[in-house]
Amino acid sequence: MIPSRVTLVDVGPRDGLQNEKQPVATADKVALVHRLQAAGLREIEVTSYVSPKWVPQMSDNAQVMAAIARPPGVRHSVLVPNMLGLDAALAGGAATRPDEVVVFGAASQAFSRRNINCSIEESIDRFAPVVAAAREAGLKVRAAISCALGCPYQGEVSPDEVEHLVKLMKGIGVQHCGIADTIGTGTPRGAQAVMERALKHFPVDEVSGHFHDTYGQALANILASLEVGIHTFDTSVAGLGGCPYAKGATGNVATEDVVFMLHGMGIDTGIDLDALVDAGGFISDVLGRPPVSRAGRALLTKKGRVFA
Ligand code: HMG
Ligand code: MG
């Protein structure tokens, strides 16, 4: 049965903005997080503690974490690729402490090397102490399984390769497994196949889908995932983003489009679509381009906005 309630994790401030070439002011990142919170998002991926040489846009991670309001009931996550990242995420104490950290591995060796500069096996050796220390510090740990439905360097990725990494992540104590279609080439039956592999190792409450919309398949993949019971998805306001190490990969599926679909199906998200659309309009104005979100553009147009 299709879930009656779905949790959306807005990853726009991290996955979206990490790919922006133009500098985005810390104050604008903070304002975006606040608008998402006001729109009813209860899970937000705020930033990443990665090397500033690799992803300069996220180098204000601690400032963003220090400046955001932390209302009760809202959970904030950050990416950490290694101990240095976790230590930095914890360095500011309670004021900047995330609720959850994300370790990110890839189902393909080639992407692992390009994105985090090590093999899959080395990444697990690197993540193991991070997961242990994060859990010891009382943080929840999520794993992102990149390239679960295709790799920009290897091409096809098999469900066996995905399940292999899922099992390795489970083995080091990760509590949640996010299945990511990094380059958006997945289609619905494939999405169901990898979700079913993840569900062999994690309970349904601890599996989520993260679909980039490069080939326009993300909504279909979400619907297919709902059909196998998945009820948590990463989405990105205004459809922001892409991964700097997956050339040509566009943003995550837009939060507005997913909310529009789910509400139309009678599925509760707790999100105020009108306020969300305004959040998408806000960050698009900051970036100087219209939202990628189709629903966002349509609803902003109805409010009188004109897009070129
Ligand atoms: P490396 O060069 O192999 O690391 O990079 P290293 O340990 O040899 O360190 C090299 C330098 O980086 C040193 O500085 C370290 O201090 C520094 P130097 O001595 O040269 O001045 N360094 C750090 N600085 C700050 N924070 C850190 C950190 N670690 C090392 N945490 C590393 C390895 C993993 C660090 C690098 O490859 C990296 O940062 N990669 C991140 C790439 C990234 O952020 N990609 C995008 C996010 S993943 C994504 O978008 C996919 C996802 O959305 C799911 C999907 O769609 O698939 C999650
Ligand atoms: Mg991503």
Side-chain angles (χ1 to χ4, degrees):
M1 219 184 41
I2 282 196
S4 58
R5 186 176 167 89
V6 160
T7 300
L8 298 183
V9 182
D10 202 295
V11 298
R14 193 284 302 171
D15 202 350
L17 295 182
Q18 73 179 5
N19 211 31
E20 286 299 323
K21 299 283 173 285
Q22 56 178 313
V24 180
T26 302
D28 288 330
K29 297 176 183 176
V30 172
L32 176 62
V33 171
H34 288 167
R35 282 171 177 266
L36 292 172
Q37 291 175 177
L41 268 300
R42 290 293 167 265
E43 303 254 359
I44 301 173
E45 198 170 275
V46 177
T47 187
S48 60
Y49 286 85
V50 299
S51 162
K53 286 185 193 139
W54 285 62
V55 185
Q57 187 66 258
M58 296 286 107
S59 61
D60 60 354
N61 39 33
Q63 291 96 302
V64 175
M65 286 302 289
I68 56 170
R70 308 292 296 272
V74 181
R75 303 183 68 258
H76 298 100
S77 53
V78 302
L79 262 57
V80 292
N82 52 20
M83 276 311 278
L84 213 54
L86 179 67
D87 288 345
L90 292 174
T96 56
R97 184 188 161 89
D99 300 292
E100 183 168 329
V101 293
V102 185
V103 291
F104 47 106
S108 82
Q109 290 290 2
F111 192 77
S112 183
R113 290 212 174 274
R114 299 290 180 112
N115 196 39
I116 50 175
N117 205 21
C118 62
S119 69
I120 294 171
E121 294 69 28
E122 285 162 346
S123 78
I124 292 295
D125 290 345
R126 198 183 273 177
F127 295 147
V130 176
V131 175
R135 290 192 63 174
E136 182 69 31
L139 306 181
K140 184 167 180 181
V141 185
R142 174 155 49 102
I145 311 288
S146 288
C147 297
L149 289 159
C151 168
Y153 309 107
Q154 171 182 315
E156 284 198 12
V157 173
S158 71
D160 285 347
E161 288 171 287
V162 176
E163 188 175 351
H164 177 64
L165 181 60
V166 169
K167 277 199 303 207
L168 290 174
M169 289 290 195
K170 175 88 181 174
I172 58 170
V174 157
Q175 295 153 292
H176 180 104
C177 174
I179 296 292
D181 185 7
T182 313
I183 53 168
T185 50
T187 49
R189 295 283 173 252
Q192 286 178 334
V194 287
M195 289 303 176
E196 273 159 1
R197 295 301 186 99
L199 289 170
K200 283 167 67 181
H201 305 281
F202 287 85
V204 69
D205 290 351
E206 301 298 352
V207 176
S208 57
H210 174 113
F211 296 105
H212 285 262
D213 201 27
T214 318
Y215 290 80
Q217 302 301 302
L219 280 179
N221 289 336
I222 288 178
L223 184 55
S225 303
L226 287 168
E227 284 174 359
V228 297
I230 305 298
H231 55 79
T232 309
F233 299 96
D234 293 352
T235 60
S236 181
V237 64
L240 298 174
C243 174
Y245 295 96
K247 207 172 171 39
T250 58
N252 289 89
V253 63
T255 313
E256 299 93 311
D257 295 356
V258 178
V259 170
F260 188 87
M261 178 180 86
L262 295 174
H263 288 185
M265 293 171 72
I267 297 172
D268 180 24
T269 63
I271 294 169
D272 173 349
L273 180 58
D274 191 55
L276 176 66
V277 162
D278 287 340
F282 161 77
I283 192 64
S284 301
D285 287 346
V286 167
L287 300 173
R289 56 170 192 264
V292 172
S293 167
R294 303 279 286 271
R297 284 173 70 133
L299 292 169
L300 286 168
T301 304
K302 264 182 136 177
K303 290 180 183 216
R305 285 288 304 266
V306 178
F307 297 106

